[in-house]
Amino acid sequence: MRISSRIWIVIAAGIAAIIALTVWYFYFKENGEGENGNTAMGASATYEIELSLNERDEFQIRTVIEVANETERPFDDIGFYFVPNALNSDETPDLPQEAAETAISSIKVGDEEVEYELENNELLVELAEPLEPGEKEAIQVLYSLALPENGMRLSQDGNNFFLAQWYPMLAQFDNGWDIEPFDMDGESYHTGFGDFRIDYQLPREYLVASSATDGEVKPSVSGTLEGDRIKDFYLALMDPEEWIHETVSVEGAELRLFMPDDPELLEESAVMAEAAYVFFEERIGDNPFPELDIVGNDGYMEYPNIIEVATTWEALDSVLVHEIAHQWFYYIVGNDPFEDAWIDESITEFAASLFLSDYYGDEEYGFSSAEAAANAYRQEKYANLPLDEFAGAQYLSTVYGAAPLTLRNFFEERGGQEEALQFLSAYYREFQFDYVNTDKFKQFFEAYFEGDQSGFLDSWLK
Ligand SMILES: [Zn+2]
């Protein structure tokens, strides 16, 4: 080979490398894609729901969901999570609770009845015509629903109804509808911010608490609930005879507490809720929603603008504060709880521990829930595994234990809790009403701190 042709080969190889790098750079920048996939939802929805409850404790539900295609390619079908269909032992073997009973009677697109596939919690609605990029289509689903007695999320407890994950929730589209099988170990569904209008009809009066702004607490038999930018809409219908309530006004929001008949527990929960809400509002950032409902039904669970908390004195503060912190991390800063459960759970537990440390002036107590979780079981090295890759209790020990403690230890050498709160505040400002995955978190962390942080980050995030 002659020298001149070698030079040409080197130049050609150089040009090819530059083109490849440019394509790679723009492809990843455009798609925000890393090993955890895209954080864009690809579709958005407006939900109009009519719900009626009959004397036999059965709901009849009509949902009209207007879906917008936000991708660059047409949709041949529309994918939803329909969790009630997975809540039976045929779909979820070893289901550790009673089954839900649900039956879809019709699905229409426009006025036309259409075919659909329903398996586990995956509902795929066929479209006669593809839904083009930028276009919208209304999907109507009619179904009946009876709730599992004392279920884990979706639940009926006597004459009280806790409607969680109860309607078809639009899934993420990322080269296809991204719908994971139902998994009771954590939250296996991912749905985006949507706008809601819900009309309800009830056979007798109930106290209503929901993801919407419900206003003054009073029993009702019918009404309309409306709310925008809500991730998954939760609705509680409570027997007025069984609950006492109190409303506390804090900075720009009403905290509405509902507890079983225990005035002392209600009072203590109200004091703690106010302190935690004010702390997160002032130290992390403004929560733009005007109302947070707090229901003492031992659900230990967060939903947009409403949480389920403890009725025991031992669990009162740790559960209440954790679920309140979730309004900032899970709701307003969103993430896929199947792929990256740590993003909401570990950061929430870290923020809750910072509040409790500050409130009691005792860091050991503040982080005691995280310590207990970490010591409960052998931990995984990496916190950012998908839900189905954790072996049982490793999910708890790693995501609720090891990861928040890792963050605490990092900040101990970096200005302590003040610096930690400033970091969380900057993170919250950056990602409000957006979705974060591990890659985005790492990029933000690297940009926030001086110097290379990859050694620290790679030691616990794959
Ligand atoms: Zn949590």
Side-chain angles (χ1 to χ4, degrees), residues 5 11 27 41 43 57 60 70 94 101 140 155 164 173 193 219 223 234 237 265 269 298 345 351 366 382 415 418 420:
S5 64
I11 290 170
Y27 177 80
M41 292 303 290
D57 294 347
Q60 295 295 330
E70 296 176 347
D94 307 320
E101 282 173 36
Q140 177 185 294
S155 177
F173 189 93
F193 297 102
Y234 175 97
L237 305 171
L265 190 77
S269 298
D298 292 305
E345 291 302 346
Y382 296 113
E418 283 305 312

Side-chain angles (χ1 to χ4, degrees), residues 284-330:
I284 290 172
D286 180 54
N287 177 336
F289 293 97
E291 188 184 283
L292 174 64
D293 291 340
I294 298 169
V295 179
N297 66 352
D298 292 305
Y300 293 19
M301 188 58 196
E302 71 282 4
Y303 300 98
N305 301 321
I306 181 163
I307 56 178
E308 297 181 330
V309 300
T311 61
T312 58
W313 286 93
E314 310 81 70
L316 188 153
D317 61 359
S318 60
V319 173
L320 181 62
V321 174
H322 177 98
E323 307 311 345
I324 291 176
H326 265 307
Q327 296 303 304
W328 280 258
F329 307 111
Y330 139 77

Side-chain angles (χ1 to χ4, degrees), residues 367-431:
F367 280 85
S368 57
S369 291
E371 288 281 1
N375 293 328
Y377 199 74
R378 184 171 55 84
Q379 301 150 15
E380 268 288 346
K381 178 171 166 59
Y382 296 113
N384 63 323
L385 301 180
L387 198 52
D388 61 354
E389 286 182 26
F390 285 103
Q394 271 185 317
Y395 170 64
L396 178 84
S397 61
T398 309
V399 169
Y400 293 78
L405 295 177
T406 299
L407 286 167
R408 178 197 63 183
N409 297 345
F410 174 85
F411 283 102
E412 243 159 36
E413 293 159 20
R414 293 249 182 181
Q417 304 203 346
E418 283 305 312
E419 184 59 35
L421 287 161
Q422 278 174 32
F423 170 76
L424 289 179
S425 177
Y427 170 78
Y428 177 70
R429 272 200 308 277
E430 176 74 16
F431 294 114

Side-chain angles (χ1 to χ4, degrees), residues 40-113:
M41 292 303 290
S44 66
T46 300
Y47 300 80
E48 291 202 7
I49 303 181
E50 288 169 16
L51 165 146
S52 67
L53 177 63
N54 67 22
E55 295 284 355
R56 300 185 309 281
D57 294 347
E58 201 181 72
F59 291 92
Q60 295 295 330
I61 301 169
R62 175 178 179 268
T63 66
V64 178
I65 308 164
E66 190 178 64
V67 176
N69 180 349
E70 296 176 347
T71 71
E72 300 294 319
R73 49 186 275 191
F75 293 160
D76 296 324
D77 55 13
I78 309 280
F80 298 94
Y81 276 95
F82 190 55
V83 172
N85 190 62
L87 294 177
N88 59 68
S89 53
D90 288 343
E91 296 291 346
T92 307
D94 307 320
L95 185 77
Q97 63 156 60
E98 297 284 305
E101 282 173 36
T102 189
I104 292 178
S105 55
S106 126
I107 299 186
K108 287 181 177 174
V109 174
D111 293 330
E112 297 295 316
E113 200 86 31

Side-chain angles (χ1 to χ4, degrees), residues 22-42:
T22 310
V23 168
W24 177 85
Y25 174 77
F26 281 102
Y27 177 80
F28 277 80
K29 200 172 170 232
E30 234 356 75
N31 292 279
E33 213 152 334
E35 62 171 345
N36 288 313
N38 200 336
T39 55
M41 292 303 290

